[in-house]
Amino acid sequence: MSLEQKINYQLNKVPALKRLVKSVYQHVMYAVSPKIKSEGGITRVSPDDPAHEYFFGYYDNSPWDISGRYMLCMRAADTWSDVSPKQKADIILIDAEKAENDSGRVTKLAETSSWNVQQGCMLQWLGPDFSKRILYNDCRGGKYVSVILDIDSKKERVIEAPVYTVSNDGKTALTLDFSRLYNLRPGYGYYNVPERTKGEALPDAPAVRRIDLESGAVTELLTYKDFAEFEPRREMLEKGAVHKVNHLMLSPDGTRFMVLYRWFVGDRKYTRLITCGTDGKDMYLLSDDDMVSHCYWKDDSHILAFENKKSEGIGYYLMTDKTREYTHCWRELDSDGHPSYAPDGTIVTDTYPDRARIQYLRIMDDENSAPRVAAKVFSPFKYDNDTRCDLHPRFDRTGEKICFDSVFEGHRGLYTVTLPKKQPEKAEHTAQTALISVITPVYNAEKYIERSVDSVLKQTYKNIEIILVNDGSTDGSLEICRRLAEKYPQITVIDKKNGGSGSARNAGLRAARGEYIGFVDSDDWVTPDYYEYMMNLLTANNADVVDVGVAQVKSPDERVPDTGCSVTIYDGNEILRHYLLRGMSEQGGAPFSACRKLYRAEVFAGDAAWFPEGTVNEDICFNYRLLQRCRRAAVSECVKYFYFQGKVSVSNGALKRRDMALIKVSRELVKLARSSGDAGIIELAEMKQARSYFSLLARAAKFGTDPASVSDPDKLAKKLQKGLRRNLPLLLRSPMSRSRKILAAAFAVNYKLSCKMIRALKL
């Protein structure tokens, strides 16, 4: 459990203080975090209508009909002032095949007065056909009811009980006490009818009822006391313990259901996940770990749930019903979300807003594959706490699209993303037999080259060839390389005239025989499992490139902070967008470096994808060109590469005239980005170009200028300052950190004074 999660756990005991602390913390973190509005192939489905709020509701129903053409949606005037608003909401039908300006695209079907901002009115298509009949909750005659509406004939049938979960065949539903739920968890109940059990901690009253949707008959299944007396714990029976149930969900075949049984002792909340037959018999305590939240039936025997297991900690667990068997899935995911399955087993889940107010939509091909980000959206502070807008992602009935609610455009709206089609698995060598070519340019590296090569020789992945390219060294580097090659047959040495790092890497590429290509600089080193880890990620996710975390260190003994090992999968243009976004927002770690990656060799086809020669900062455009060719990238935060800082390199040391090539390279990057036609990618590339002026000024401020190549430092500084001033507005709205933005603004106002401050403070 992270520090934030531990603090949140303690603050749950004092809700008012939690809201205050959370608000202050998020405002501060948002102020210093990179800003984005949305990322991903997102399409708005609801009308472009800022006067209304559009949303569907919870994550356990699909808004699509069986054809995939029509979508259900709710429309309201206000969803941010009250969790269970007092005004009515419209139920509308959206014809997704009609143009947005077509007057026939949106049709109002009905109204409801019983709804909340999290689950709506339980609006859904009724099975088994999911085509002509819809079902929703309402309050009529002072009672909660559910309404079955034929959207063609407009005829309706009223059931004398509201529904919570409905079977796929459309014959059976389960319900609970929405009034008690409103008083104990307002965002999930309705306000209309006074609670009959108000003030009763443990009512002797129905907690779960079954509804026959064909006859309308309602049958009591379980009472609150039934839950309290089932495998009781001491805390259940404490005086004043308040009991409730929530989150009913029927199994796919409709024979069993799950329910979260919760009780409160003071400020402490306890939760059990219980399954039961739809006849009220055969109850089973599936989880008794106190914290379990959002769940979903994978099939009739397995349930995926987010919980905090006492034995393993917080995360997603796939549990087998009526057994103690479970699997901890995606260990890198430790924040709550709303998971669900597509027909082919693909999983989607979301997150609550993070410290930068960003919510993530994540996709997993199965329980063993790494999560990949399908979309990111911003959540304004207006929507927070109980009236927040959870994404609540749901698949269409084919599993090809995902629908979600979001407020990134300033009001609630209904959006979709289309999933890329799963690529057929390629015929691969096993993860330990495919050859990897590791290319290391060597120039005057006699102090470090053996350490670097030794780290590659000690890899747990054994099928590696090491290509050492001596780039005209004037020290003893070539002799060391030749001695290593004599000792280790997997090492090949190429000796060439000095042409720079790009030229040396290209020489290595021409000699490479591997099906996968990696780079390690001659003074850096890697962890023993570096290539095994990346090969496993690459093959498991059918990716074309893998990228890992980098630590900048001054010695092998330096302690490196734990960054975790979260893995995100990017597809198509999202690869380029992430590459540029990280390059703007990541401090340190060499975000543009080729050394932190493992590539399929096939993406190098053609000279256009090789390194530019005779320049510095060659990695920036090289990687962009390669990533353009990649269908999928797996990006891990796990630190596996160590970038040695005890040296003068193209990224530190006194500013030289050749370093001005960064501006030229950045301009080339903008040209490449414009060819994509993607506005987000183009803007990020332009921001990178704007940052180049700041980066060069910052280097000169910290390390000074090289007198051998810079004859007039003041003239050069003024030229760079002019470029920075011209680009400052773009830079200030970029994802660059707040501290860097402040420094950039200071450089633009008074560069000489800023330099004096930097040197005085030893920044």
Side-chain angles (χ1 to χ4, degrees):
M1 189 179 292
S2 68
L3 178 61
E4 287 181 358
Q5 290 169 330
K6 291 177 180 177
I7 294 173
N8 183 66
Y9 178 79
Q10 296 300 324
L11 288 174
N12 280 333
K13 301 174 182 178
V14 190
L17 178 61
K18 175 184 176 180
R19 285 192 292 271
L20 176 61
V21 172
K22 177 183 174 183
S23 177
V24 172
Y25 175 72
Q26 286 198 334
H27 276 82
V28 171
M29 294 309 301
Y30 172 71
V32 301
S33 299
K35 310 296 187 296
I36 69 167
K37 183 177 180 181
S38 67
E39 288 184 13
I42 300 172
T43 300
R44 179 170 39 78
V45 177
S46 54
D48 184 12
D49 174 17
H52 291 94
E53 305 274 295
Y54 293 85
F55 69 107
F56 178 69
Y58 220 37
Y59 69 99
D60 55 349
N61 290 308
S62 176
W64 278 281
D65 75 334
I66 194 67
S67 73
R69 173 174 179 173
Y70 297 100
M71 299 179 70
L72 295 173
C73 184
M74 295 186 65
R75 177 173 62 195
D78 182 346
T79 65
W80 63 89
S81 301
D82 190 357
V83 293
S84 183
K86 306 303 185 291
Q87 74 270 28
K88 291 186 175 183
D90 295 332
I91 295 170
I92 64 172
L93 183 71
I94 300 174
D95 185 344
E97 290 189 1
K98 290 186 176 180
E100 187 171 354
N101 59 1
D102 191 319
S103 60
R105 178 179 170 86
V106 175
T107 304
K108 179 178 175 180
L109 298 177
E111 293 179 346
T112 178
S113 58
S114 295
W115 61 285
N116 55 61
V117 298
Q118 295 299 335
Q119 296 182 324
C121 61
M122 298 299 180
L123 177 63
Q124 58 195 285
W125 295 93
L126 193 61
D129 56 318
F130 304 104
S131 62
K132 298 299 180 184
R133 296 179 300 162
I134 68 168
L135 182 149
Y136 62 94
N137 290 341
D138 197 4
C139 183
R140 299 186 182 183
K143 297 186 301 183
Y144 293 129
V145 300
S146 53
V147 180
I148 298 175
L149 175 68
D150 186 303
I151 63 173
D152 289 339
S153 68
K154 301 300 186 290
K155 291 182 179 180
E156 64 177 32
R157 188 162 66 90
V158 178
I159 306 295
E160 295 300 314
V163 302
Y164 197 101
T165 179
V166 180
S167 62
N168 287 328
D169 62 10
K171 295 180 179 180
T172 305
L174 299 179
T175 190
L176 44 65
D177 187 341
F178 282 93
S179 295
R180 185 172 181 84
L181 197 56
Y182 174 76
N183 285 327
L184 296 178
R185 190 74 164 91
Y188 297 84
Y190 306 142
Y191 80 93
N192 314 78
V193 180
E195 181 193 347
R196 294 180 181 178
T197 59
K198 189 173 183 179
E200 297 181 44
L202 179 55
D204 187 13
V208 180
R209 295 181 293 165
R210 185 179 67 231
I211 306 168
D212 185 326
L213 293 176
E214 293 181 313
S215 68
V218 181
T219 306
E220 295 180 5
L221 280 188
L222 297 167
T223 67
Y224 295 99
K225 287 191 174 181
D226 289 331
F227 285 103
E229 293 171 358
F230 177 63
E231 299 186 19
R233 287 171 47 176
R234 174 181 54 81
E235 300 92 346
M236 296 180 187
L237 307 177
E238 288 189 22
K239 186 177 180 179
V242 179
H243 301 252
K244 72 163 187 172
V245 298
N246 199 3
H247 297 309
L248 300 168
M249 187 182 295
L250 282 159
S251 61
D253 66 2
T255 61
R256 291 184 66 78
F257 69 93
M258 71 170 92
V259 58
L260 295 187
Y261 163 51
R262 285 177 171 154
W263 69 98
F264 303 82
V265 181
D267 294 320
R268 179 70 189 272
K269 179 174 73 173
Y270 300 86
T271 304
R272 280 180 158 183
L273 173 58
I274 293 174
T275 62
C276 184
T278 50
D279 57 0
K281 300 177 182 179
D282 197 18
M283 291 177 70
Y284 187 83
L285 179 54
L286 192 58
S287 174
D288 197 19
D289 291 293
D290 295 346
M291 185 276 172
V292 57
S293 58
H294 304 102
C295 312
Y296 198 89
W297 289 94
K298 176 184 179 180
D299 50 40
D300 297 322
S301 302
H302 298 88
I303 292 173
L304 181 66
F306 186 86
E307 64 170 312
N308 186 13
K309 278 201 175 294
K310 295 174 182 176
S311 59
E312 293 202 37
I314 201 163
Y316 285 96
Y317 292 86
L318 184 66
M319 294 174 279
T320 304
D321 190 20
K322 301 171 66 175
T323 75
R324 302 286 76 169
E325 298 173 4
Y326 66 83
T327 302
H328 190 173
C329 308
W330 321 296
R331 291 176 182 269
E332 62 269 39
L333 299 186
D334 60 359
S335 59
D336 201 356
H338 304 87
S340 60
Y341 280 88
D344 68 352
T346 302
I347 305 103
V348 63
T349 192
D350 60 352
T351 66
Y352 294 114
D354 65 9
R355 64 186 67 181
R357 300 294 298 174
I358 302 301
Q359 294 170 278
Y360 292 78
L361 199 66
R362 289 194 168 98
I363 303 295
M364 291 76 75
D365 289 335
D366 54 42
E367 292 82 10
N368 298 310
S369 64
R372 61 184 188 273
V373 175
K376 301 178 187 178
V377 290
F378 173 65
S379 178
F381 286 102
K382 176 181 178 180
Y383 300 89
D384 203 7
N385 296 313
D386 290 338
T387 59
R388 68 185 181 274
C389 181
D390 296 341
L391 302 186
H392 290 154
R394 324 102 185 158
F395 285 102
D396 69 359
R397 301 189 189 277
T398 66
E400 296 175 355
K401 292 183 179 181
I402 296 169
C403 171
F404 63 97
D405 303 327
S406 182
V407 287
F408 72 88
E409 291 188 301
H411 55 92
R412 265 184 170 85
L414 196 66
Y415 302 88
T416 63
V417 291
T418 300
L419 299 184
K421 292 185 177 180
K422 289 185 178 180
Q423 299 293 323
E425 294 296 329
K426 298 180 180 180
E428 297 286 356
H429 294 286
T430 66
Q432 289 293 325
T433 59
L435 179 64
I436 298 176
S437 296
V438 178
I439 299 168
T440 296
V442 182
Y443 179 73
N444 291 350
E446 62 180 5
K447 293 181 181 180
Y448 313 112
I449 183 62
E450 287 188 82
R451 180 181 64 190
S452 177
V453 173
D454 187 58
S455 74
V456 181
L457 288 170
K458 290 180 177 178
Q459 289 295 296
T460 55
Y461 189 97
K462 298 304 180 184
N463 196 16
I464 294 175
E465 67 168 0
I466 302 172
I467 303 172
L468 303 178
V469 183
N470 181 58
D471 191 39
S473 297
T474 57
D475 64 358
S477 295
L478 178 59
E479 288 72 22
I480 295 172
C481 292
R482 285 173 173 167
R483 174 165 48 82
L484 289 170
E486 289 177 2
K487 186 175 182 181
Y488 301 102
Q490 62 267 50
I491 296 178
T492 298
V493 177
I494 298 174
D495 184 28
K496 60 180 287 295
K497 292 182 179 180
N498 180 256
S501 179
S503 172
R505 285 172 168 173
N506 287 339
L509 283 171
R510 282 188 283 271
R513 298 179 297 111
E515 297 159 85
Y516 300 91
I517 305 292
F519 300 91
V520 176
D521 280 348
S522 58
D523 44 8
D524 300 337
W525 62 93
V526 296
T527 60
D529 66 339
Y530 182 55
Y531 285 111
E532 180 180 15
Y533 179 78
M534 290 203 289
M535 276 295 290
N536 287 339
L537 275 183
L538 193 146
T539 55
N541 295 285
N542 198 20
D544 297 312
V545 61
V546 175
D547 182 288
V548 298
V550 173
Q552 293 185 336
V553 293
K554 295 182 179 179
S555 79
D557 300 324
E558 185 174 334
R559 189 173 180 180
V560 177
D562 183 10
T563 60
C565 287
S566 174
V567 177
T568 305
I569 307 301
Y570 296 94
D571 294 305
N573 274 356
E574 288 302 306
I575 301 173
L576 299 172
R577 195 172 289 111
H578 169 264
Y579 173 67
L580 295 174
L581 180 64
R582 187 182 62 187
M584 285 298 299
S585 58
E586 183 177 296
Q587 292 184 228
F592 293 111
S593 174
C595 292
R596 61 190 295 168
K597 297 175 176 63
L598 179 67
Y599 311 83
R600 289 187 189 273
E602 61 199 55
V603 302
F604 287 88
D607 291 342
W610 288 18
F611 288 91
E613 298 187 10
T615 185
V616 293
N617 298 293
E618 68 275 4
D619 284 11
I620 297 174
C621 290
F622 161 78
N623 270 315
Y624 187 94
R625 290 189 179 95
L626 279 193
L627 294 176
Q628 278 182 310
R629 301 177 172 204
C630 293
R631 176 185 46 80
R632 174 171 291 181
V635 179
S636 171
E637 294 180 5
C638 207
V639 173
K640 299 289 183 182
Y641 190 97
F642 297 95
Y643 183 58
F644 183 50
Q645 290 292 284
K647 58 185 178 181
V648 174
S649 70
V650 295
S651 59
N652 63 38
L655 183 70
K656 299 179 175 62
R657 174 65 62 179
R658 69 172 189 176
D659 297 324
M660 297 295 288
L662 178 61
I663 296 174
K664 181 180 179 181
V665 168
S666 298
R667 288 172 179 163
E668 177 64 22
L669 181 66
V670 172
K671 290 181 181 178
L672 291 171
R674 285 174 179 163
S675 68
S676 74
D678 186 303
I681 292 174
I682 295 169
E683 184 178 51
L684 284 168
E686 291 172 343
M687 288 174 175
K688 170 59 183 170
Q689 180 182 346
R691 183 170 177 164
S692 63
Y693 296 97
F694 166 71
S695 298
L696 294 169
L697 284 169
R699 181 166 174 177
K702 186 172 183 178
F703 299 107
T705 55
D706 175 35
S709 62
V710 180
S711 58
D712 191 340
D714 289 340
K715 183 178 179 180
L716 180 61
K718 287 179 181 179
K719 180 179 179 181
L720 292 172
Q721 188 183 32
K722 183 178 179 181
L724 176 62
R725 287 172 175 169
R726 186 173 63 251
N727 288 279
L728 188 62
L730 180 62
L731 200 58
L732 292 178
R733 71 169 191 268
S734 77
M736 192 168 71
S737 70
R738 190 182 186 187
S739 60
R740 296 294 177 99
K741 290 178 181 178
I742 292 172
L743 189 57
F747 282 175
V749 173
N750 193 322
Y751 180 64
K752 287 188 176 181
L753 179 60
S754 300
C755 290
K756 291 179 181 179
M757 291 177 62
I758 288 173
R759 289 162 188 163
L761 296 173
K762 297 181 179 180
L763 297 177

